[in-house]
Amino acid sequence: FAPRHGERAPVAKPLFVFNRVELERLGCLRGQCSVYTVSIDRDGSVLYRGYAHVAISGERRAHANPEKLQRLRSLLNDPAIFWLHSRYAPGNDDCGSWSMNGEVARIAIHAPNFDKHIDHYLGCHGAPQILTRIENAIDAAAETSRWVTGNPTTAVVGSTSR
């Protein structure tokens, strides 16, 4: 459908609106990888919990970057999401060839009438590229680098450490 002169093109309706999306970075075999969880609610509220090999341990709250959150929402509305398997790890056909010492990431997408959980061993060379794009988009929208690598100007914003 092409709009006529002066008309607006129709806007595609999203497949779903997520209530919450979560990312867990679970470390790696060599033991030097960051271990943390981050969740983003529909309203953009961010909850971070740093556990190991991060600049800021403990719990932090913030609000997602609006532009990056919109990019994440667009990515989460890719129909390919529905065909993703729940696990991409060595030994699974979907993993393909793999390398040692890969990090492990776990994604959870919660939406009305839809929940998707995916374990992703990042050393799997056959895993769909959209997994890495989603993981990176969650980190970008939540701006986790401020806590993981320690950007000192934003690391204490929203602190709720106990």
Side-chain angles (χ1 to χ4, degrees), residues 85-113:
H85 296 218
S86 61
R87 183 175 162 94
Y88 294 89
N92 291 19
D93 291 340
D94 299 321
C95 181
S97 64
W98 55 279
S99 54
M100 293 291 290
N101 288 330
E103 295 178 61
V104 177
R106 180 174 290 149
I107 301 169
I109 304 165
H110 306 284
N113 302 314

Side-chain angles (χ1 to χ4, degrees), residues 22-27 36-38 51 104-108 119:
E22 302 166 358
L23 171 64
E24 290 182 78
R25 299 273 187 190
L26 301 171
Y36 64 92
T37 62
V38 64
Y51 300 105
V104 177
R106 180 174 290 149
I107 301 169
D119 289 341

